[in-house]
Amino acid sequence: MAAITEPTVDNTATQTAAAKKKTKKVVADNSKYQGVEKVMPIALKSSHAKGRHAVAARDLVAGTLVAVEKAAAGIVRNQSFINLCHRCFGPVATKTQSRTKLDAAGKEVAGQKETVTVPSHSCGTCKMAAYCSEACAKQHEPEHTVQCAALAKCNPIATAHSVQLETLRAVLALIGRRAVQGGKPELVGQGVGGEPEFAGQAVEAKATPYGCVLDLNSNRHYLKRSAIKQQQAALKEVLELVPEAARVSLSEAVELACIFTTNQHQIAVGGSQMLGLYPFSALYFAHSCNPNCVYVGEVGGAMYVRTIADVSADTELTVTYADLFQPREQRRRDLLLSRHFWCKCRRCSQALSQSVDRLMDGIQCTACHRGVMIFEETKEVQDINELMTDISALDQEIQGKFAECESCSAQIEVTHLVDVLKAAITDYSSAHMLMQQGQLERARVQLERFVGNYEERRVLSPYNAYLINAYIALIRVCTQLNDVDRAIRYNTIVVERMLGPETESMPPVPAHYPQLAEYQMSLGDMCLKQAKKKAGNRTPAGRSVSRRYLREAKASLEAAY
């Protein structure tokens, strides 16, 4: 028998392999952001399944503030350009002045004058930055100097290359912030090593350092090659106008554009709009179609994140990036195109037949007129790379498929349901167009006809998103026509539908959702006005109507607050 020899063992390699096996892979290092745990009732976590996320450090009641963040960089939206300061995002004073009239191409028309509204304080060189005061303009000078020449040419560059003007402006805002920080976040008075400093309120908050922006995913690989080429061509021209000392590489500029597009938050500030990058919030507050938190704009463009429901300790804190009163399919597509992920939250993962989502684009059964037709519309998407290149694959899923009534099991081809929805969309769009054109009485008639054709005749579910949108449009139209009683009736319907049927375990929108609260406050205000108006009628019937409106106002305002 041959002698048995021990195999040669590389102890070093064995120990290294064993160490790797024992070492738990770390998904993300939270140490840079853990300062927030000292000022807010949250804990930062990281896992393979969820990545970075925040959880409640203790039981939280609805309305608890869980984060305050000032944007690492932000821009005033194009439509709010002269309304907000481009440094502090406070209100801007305006004035009127006369100038030579411009034609549609922006060229001066000889001999003709026009009066325009302009900011009281602005950059006279690029005319692309407005300020609330000379002091703010002076403080913004180091950043604006980097951007000024490029901002002056941004509009024609964006048009020539078919890219969004706001994207180019956002990249310049980030380059300006980077230049002020010398490319090193710690040089702007932030924490050691560029760590953000967290505060408990907006007035104490400091802007999140530029270095944190680079922690965000760009999702660049999801964009079409043609879109990337357009961005590259536009940004190449923009960078040539940036001072050489502050210039970044073309590749980094494209990366910044993709980061901003994917991670931006739109914030309302005093009725105007801004777009900002809030790295901490984007990293740690994940999306859900049934969120327990909401983000809102505050003074100076700061973003507050608050709970909108009671949250138990160790529960993940989530916000939403979607319009919650939209069909599941629409929400998922919108998120895929804007945020580059396929939503698999609890609400979207629940079987459609068991979810309130079946009502959002629900079509009534023509056989029993009780249930809605159910079709588990799309298979779960595992590889969104493939879907991003051909989103029509979702439409192909319905070919040859049948939907079934939830009550009587009657069946109908899904393509027929799609045709019904398309007809509803066309009818709604034509009515909505009349409203936009200012033809209010015609719009009211068309919208009420839409409701009659699709709800009263039991074509669409009462909770169908297009019916709700029709009622919302009717509120606006009737308010402008000073038909307050009608507006109150339609506003009441919107609030009831947003809360959903009592039989549903998960409502379309959470009870304290801001959009719902807006309609509740609007309803309360209208009821108060009508109560005051009817109070002039001294008859018993008049007093009774006035008291009814007061009760409705009280109930609506209490629900909102």
Side-chain angles (χ1 to χ4, degrees):
M1 182 182 290
I4 298 175
T5 59
E6 293 290 329
T8 304
V9 178
D10 184 343
N11 290 326
T12 305
T14 303
Q15 290 169 4
T16 303
K20 283 184 178 179
K21 192 173 182 180
K22 289 180 181 178
T23 304
K24 189 175 181 180
K25 217 172 172 184
V26 178
V27 175
D29 181 8
N30 296 323
S31 59
K32 183 193 293 187
Y33 300 95
Q34 278 180 324
V36 72
E37 296 178 344
K38 298 178 181 178
V39 294
M40 292 295 170
I42 65 175
L44 305 186
K45 303 289 184 180
S46 180
S47 70
H48 292 290
K50 295 182 178 180
R52 301 184 204 243
H53 58 284
V55 302
R58 53 178 170 80
D59 290 347
L60 305 176
V61 298
T64 301
L65 184 65
V66 293
V68 177
E69 185 174 11
K70 275 195 173 179
I75 60 169
V76 178
R77 297 220 68 170
N78 293 339
Q79 65 268 30
S80 302
F81 203 78
I82 65 171
N83 300 324
L84 293 179
C85 177
H86 288 220
R87 176 188 168 271
C88 73
F89 303 106
V92 167
T94 58
K95 60 184 180 182
T96 58
Q97 66 180 33
S98 179
R99 72 176 185 189
T100 303
K101 189 174 182 179
L102 303 178
D103 63 17
K107 296 181 180 180
E108 294 184 350
V109 180
Q112 295 188 39
K113 296 286 185 180
E114 63 180 352
T115 301
V116 295
T117 301
V118 297
S120 297
H121 306 281
S122 62
C123 175
T125 304
C126 69
K127 298 180 174 58
M128 290 285 284
Y131 299 101
C132 61
S133 64
E134 287 293 340
C136 239
K138 188 70 177 174
Q139 290 180 61
H140 195 235
E141 194 173 301
E143 286 186 39
H144 184 69
T145 300
V146 171
Q147 309 172 41
C148 190
L151 282 173
K153 301 290 185 182
C154 261
N155 217 330
I157 291 173
T159 302
H161 297 286
S162 301
V163 300
Q164 295 292 322
L165 173 61
E166 290 178 339
T167 301
L168 300 184
R169 290 176 51 221
V171 171
L172 285 170
L174 286 162
I175 291 173
R177 183 59 57 88
R178 178 185 182 278
V180 167
Q181 295 180 2
K184 298 179 180 179
E186 64 268 24
L187 298 183
V188 218
Q190 306 293 340
V192 177
E195 295 176 4
E197 293 183 3
F198 294 97
Q201 52 187 336
V203 292
E204 298 173 353
K206 294 182 179 180
T208 303
Y210 172 86
C212 297
V213 170
L214 305 180
D215 290 338
L216 297 168
N217 289 327
S218 69
N219 292 317
R220 179 175 177 172
H221 52 289
Y222 292 138
L223 298 182
K224 291 182 178 179
R225 184 173 295 181
S226 58
I228 292 292
K229 285 186 175 180
Q230 287 173 323
Q231 282 193 355
Q232 287 174 330
L235 288 168
K236 183 178 180 181
E237 290 188 35
V238 167
L239 290 173
E240 288 172 354
L241 298 169
V242 173
E244 189 174 351
R247 202 174 295 164
V248 299
S249 68
L250 179 58
S251 178
E252 185 173 346
V254 172
E255 189 78 0
L256 292 176
C258 294
I259 286 174
F260 192 87
T261 302
T262 301
N263 297 281
Q264 67 189 8
H265 286 77
Q266 177 171 289
I267 297 295
V269 184
S272 298
Q273 305 290 330
M274 65 162 286
L275 294 175
L277 266 187
Y278 300 86
F280 169 73
S281 299
L283 285 168
Y284 286 96
F285 295 102
H287 162 83
S288 171
C289 293
N290 185 40
N292 53 26
C293 296
V294 65
Y295 62 85
V296 293
E298 288 291 337
V299 178
M303 186 168 78
Y304 277 20
V305 182
R306 290 185 183 276
T307 58
I308 54 174
D310 293 344
V311 181
S312 302
D314 297 321
T315 301
E316 184 179 1
L317 300 170
T318 58
V319 296
T320 187
Y321 298 128
D323 182 350
L324 297 182
F325 212 101
Q326 288 294 327
R328 177 185 298 180
E329 183 82 355
Q330 188 63 53
R331 295 197 310 270
R332 282 178 145 181
R333 290 188 186 214
D334 289 346
L335 290 167
L336 182 67
L337 294 173
S338 63
R339 299 280 175 170
H340 308 304
F341 69 87
W342 184 253
C343 186
K344 296 182 180 180
C345 72
R346 180 187 165 201
R347 177 173 169 180
C348 286
S349 299
Q350 189 177 21
L352 191 63
S353 57
Q354 301 170 19
S355 170
V356 72
D357 282 335
R358 74 189 187 283
L359 305 176
M360 301 296 96
D361 61 356
I363 295 176
Q364 296 279 66
C365 174
T366 55
C368 70
H369 297 291
R370 294 192 309 274
V372 295
M373 306 305 295
I374 303 293
F375 172 64
E376 300 291 349
E377 68 274 41
T378 53
K379 62 183 179 182
E380 287 302 313
V381 174
Q382 302 301 329
D383 181 11
I384 70 169
N385 288 289
E386 181 181 350
L387 192 56
M388 286 295 294
T389 58
D390 184 18
I391 199 167
S392 64
L394 292 175
D395 298 317
Q396 295 166 12
E397 284 292 307
I398 68 173
Q399 299 301 318
K401 302 291 177 64
F402 287 82
E404 186 174 294
C405 174
E406 63 179 342
S407 296
C408 71
S409 301
Q411 291 191 335
I412 191 171
E413 281 192 65
V414 177
T415 51
H416 176 71
L417 297 185
V418 171
D419 290 340
V420 173
L421 281 177
K422 284 181 178 178
I425 293 168
T426 300
D427 291 347
Y428 169 76
S429 299
S430 62
H432 193 265
M433 182 65 72
L434 291 173
M435 181 182 71
Q436 290 181 317
Q437 293 170 347
Q439 301 182 53
L440 300 180
E441 187 57 42
R442 287 187 63 196
R444 182 188 65 77
V445 172
Q446 286 277 74
L447 288 164
E448 288 179 341
R449 184 177 297 151
F450 177 87
V451 170
N453 289 340
Y454 288 97
E455 179 173 1
E456 293 171 13
R457 294 184 181 179
R458 298 184 177 181
V459 177
L460 300 181
S461 156
Y463 298 90
N464 187 286
Y466 291 103
L467 276 174
I468 304 305
N469 286 333
Y471 283 120
I472 289 171
L474 278 166
I475 296 170
R476 291 177 56 189
V477 168
C478 292
T479 301
Q480 289 178 278
L481 290 172
N482 204 30
D483 191 345
V484 183
D485 283 328
R486 255 195 177 109
I488 287 173
R489 185 164 75 248
Y490 295 135
N491 203 330
T492 301
I493 291 172
V494 169
V495 169
E496 290 173 350
R497 302 283 170 86
M498 282 191 166
L499 289 171
E502 292 183 0
T503 54
E504 298 296 324
S505 59
M506 188 185 297
V509 300
H512 300 290
Y513 194 60
Q515 188 180 12
L516 172 61
E518 286 176 13
Y519 287 112
Q520 289 168 327
M521 287 189 287
S522 173
L523 179 59
D525 289 342
M526 286 192 288
C527 287
L528 283 175
K529 289 176 183 177
Q530 285 300 88
K532 185 177 180 180
K533 181 180 177 180
K534 303 293 183 183
N537 185 340
R538 302 293 183 181
T539 65
R543 287 195 294 270
S544 175
V545 170
S546 180
R547 285 195 294 269
R548 176 171 61 82
Y549 276 125
L550 284 173
R551 287 195 300 271
E552 291 176 5
K554 182 174 183 290
S556 295
L557 294 173
E558 284 180 347
Y561 290 99

